[in-house]
Amino acid sequence: SQQGEEDPQALSIQEGENATMNCSYKTSINNLQWYRQNSGRGLVHLILIRSNEREKHSGRLRVTLDTSKKSSSLLITASRAADTASYFCATFGNEKLTFGTGTRLTIIP
Amino acid sequence: NAGVMQNPRHLVRRRGQEARLRCSPMKGHSHVYWYRQLPEEGLKFMVYLQKENIIDESGMPKERFSAEFPKEGPSILRIQQVVRGDSAAYFCASSPPIGRGNYNEQFFGPGTRLTVL
């Protein structure tokens, strides 16, 4: 499997519910980041968590990192229609970012 | 401070033609990265450049692809003799000068969508 795999591949939830996406990776990392990509658009950086951190919050976003399991999760609370997008995790190591395959999140109004 | 600029936003080429994609990093940024995104996939690293230097090109195909970041002007990703499989979105990112092992956030441009007919 690839470095940085997200699951699920696709997720549909009702507006107002929480959305959780997971990411697994293989190699040691300096940090892990989450990005959002709206359809046909560029990437928006959401949050960065360093390898010595276990949890980080930013607004409605909560990210956890478990380096022993080489996994991370992104939680979006109180989802909104505007959260509909693809979400990618990316690990930073060897001076470059390695992206996962992404989770397509659809928020149903 | 303008963000990372890429042009053109959309590029159509016929098989065998050349494609030139341009990236102007954010002001003060001296590091440029190119990524390729195939439909329904994540971004794949291609090349990392500093001014006049290629630092890491481990993600670049061995043939037809080249990249440069001259002392003056934008970074250029050049694809010669394009084939249909080159159709993808190509994203550029930039970051300020960084120490080894340290990290500054990479800021992404809007991408160039290349279609090869």
Side-chain angles (χ1 to χ4, degrees):
Chain A
S1 57
Q2 298 179 32
Q3 171 86 337
E5 287 195 346
E6 288 94 334
D7 91 275
Q9 288 189 325
L11 177 64
S12 292
I13 60 173
Q14 294 287 334
E15 191 170 17
E17 293 180 338
N18 296 341
T20 299
M21 289 159 270
N22 303 295
C23 167
S24 61
Y25 58 93
K26 289 181 173 293
T27 61
S28 61
I29 61 172
N30 180 284
N31 63 65
L32 185 143
Q33 301 160 56
W34 286 89
Y35 287 82
R36 183 184 74 222
Q37 184 180 35
N38 290 79
S39 180
R41 306 291 292 275
L43 277 81
V44 174
H45 183 264
L46 295 176
I47 195 165
L48 179 154
I49 186 166
R50 299 188 187 281
S51 59
N52 61 354
E53 296 177 311
R54 292 295 167 259
E55 187 171 312
K56 202 160 183 180
H57 296 254
S58 176
R60 292 184 298 113
L61 305 179
R62 173 178 167 253
V63 169
T64 63
L65 179 64
D66 186 335
T67 52
S68 67
K69 295 181 180 177
K70 289 187 166 57
S71 67
S72 173
S73 67
L74 171 67
L75 168 68
I76 304 174
T77 60
S79 62
R80 304 167 182 169
D83 294 330
T84 294
S86 291
Y87 291 81
F88 296 92
C89 71
T91 54
F92 183 75
N94 293 325
E95 310 295 333
K96 58 178 168 278
L97 285 170
T98 302
F99 284 84
T101 50
T103 293
R104 276 195 310 280
L105 175 65
T106 301
I107 306 301
I108 303 166
Chain B
N1 187 5
V4 178
M5 311 278 283
Q6 288 188 250
N7 68 81
R9 295 291 305 277
H10 299 274
L11 181 62
V12 179
R13 284 286 178 267
R14 297 192 181 280
R15 281 179 297 169
Q17 292 184 320
E18 178 180 289
R20 279 181 172 248
L21 287 63
R22 294 175 186 77
C23 169
S24 296
M26 289 180 69
K27 187 176 181 180
H29 287 192
S30 55
H31 297 234
V32 166
Y33 309 78
W34 285 94
Y35 297 84
R36 177 166 66 176
Q37 184 179 32
L38 296 172
E40 307 300 321
E41 293 188 12
L43 278 71
K44 296 288 195 295
F45 169 81
M46 299 181 75
V47 63
Y48 163 34
L49 310 103
Q50 296 176 22
K51 287 281 187 182
E52 300 184 283
N53 281 309
I54 296 175
I55 305 303
D56 182 345
E57 57 181 349
S58 58
M60 287 278 272
K62 293 289 184 284
E63 297 177 347
R64 302 187 297 106
F65 284 72
S66 62
E68 62 176 11
F69 188 17
K71 187 176 180 181
E72 302 290 338
S75 175
I76 306 286
L77 178 67
R78 182 180 177 209
I79 311 172
Q80 295 178 290
Q81 299 174 350
V82 296
V83 300
R84 289 214 174 109
D86 297 333
S87 294
Y90 292 83
F91 290 94
C92 166
S94 73
S95 68
I98 54 178
R100 183 158 186 82
N102 294 321
Y103 175 80
N104 280 330
E105 179 183 339
Q106 292 185 19
F107 294 80
F108 281 81
T112 293
R113 277 152 186 82
L114 172 66
T115 301
V116 179
L117 301 177

